Amino acid sequence: MLLQTFLIAISVSMDTFAVSIGKGLTVKRLRKRDVLKTALWFGGFQALFPIIGYCATSTFSKYVTAVDHWIIFGLLLLIGGNMIREAFEEDEENAKETPEFDWRHMLPIAFACSIDAFAVGVSFAFMNLNIGLSVAIIGVTTGLFSAAGLCIGRSFGSHWQKPAQIIGGFVLILIGVKVLLEHLSLLGL
């Protein structure tokens, strides 16, 4: 069960890894506290949502899973579109000294990336496992993957700030479209 939980943790952290790369592409200067904030936001939400799903069990999940793809798509479209729009603003606007790691920017991204973890929590309710240990593994794994993604994105984005921000925005939009198409069974992945 420990190996299974670890594999689940890796799979649910892939969205946050990709989003973190996109976010890393957009920053000019990456501070240790930004990496820590990113890890805590994504790791925390990925640990919280399975707990909520575990407690709510399958009665409530059928309503959320029926629309989760639309929520993810909408949030990632909004966030990605905003990134692209900001790339075309005046250079002084883009030369912000502090990257956007505050709650207004991190909360919607962390929420959007964690909705699938709710369904994982629902499945945990029907499995014989330690929920505390499972969500700790998911939270730590996601935190590590998102911190690594942020650093990877930053190393590539430092030389090509504006194009990287546009690409990062398109990546978020494409992730949203992919999630939507998969849930509508229009993409056979």
Side-chain angles (χ1 to χ4, degrees), residues 8 11 32 42-43 46 57 64 73 78 106 108 110 120 131 139 154 170 176 187 189:
I8 289 170
S11 69
K32 289 180 183 178
F42 289 140
Q46 288 284 18
T57 64
V64 172
F73 171 72
L78 179 69
M106 295 303 291
V120 169
I131 186 68
R154 169 61 179 103
F170 278 117
L187 190 63
L189 296 176

Side-chain angles (χ1 to χ4, degrees), residues 36-186:
L36 180 62
K37 283 181 186 180
T38 301
L40 290 174
W41 272 105
F42 289 140
F45 267 72
Q46 288 284 18
L48 177 64
F49 273 56
I51 293 171
I52 295 170
Y54 181 83
C55 294
T57 64
S58 62
T59 305
F60 183 66
S61 71
K62 66 182 175 185
Y63 300 113
V64 172
T65 55
V67 296
D68 68 343
H69 51 285
W70 288 105
I71 295 169
I72 294 168
F73 171 72
L75 288 172
L76 291 178
L77 180 69
L78 179 69
I79 294 162
N82 190 47
M83 284 174 62
I84 294 168
R85 180 189 55 78
E86 288 176 356
F88 290 105
E89 288 180 350
E90 293 181 29
D91 287 335
E92 2 183 292
E93 288 290 320
N94 287 331
K96 297 175 185 168
E97 194 55 36
T98 46
E100 297 167 345
F101 291 95
D102 61 0
W103 71 270
R104 288 176 301 216
H105 294 93
M106 295 303 291
L107 178 67
I109 298 171
F111 183 86
C113 291
S114 301
I115 292 175
D116 284 346
F118 177 86
V120 169
V122 170
S123 68
F124 283 173
F126 300 105
M127 302 167 100
N128 185 21
L129 51 78
N130 180 330
I131 186 68
L133 178 62
S134 297
V135 297
I137 290 170
I138 289 171
V140 169
T141 302
T142 300
L144 293 172
F145 269 92
S146 60
L150 190 63
C151 294
I152 289 168
R154 169 61 179 103
S155 67
F156 286 109
S158 62
H159 302 291
W160 304 289
Q161 175 70 26
K162 189 179 269 190
Q165 188 167 356
I166 294 167
I167 291 168
F170 278 117
V171 166
L172 292 180
I173 292 169
L174 289 175
I175 290 170
V177 170
K178 177 185 169 279
V179 167
L180 181 65
L181 293 176
E182 284 176 350
H183 283 276
L184 295 176
S185 298
L186 297 174

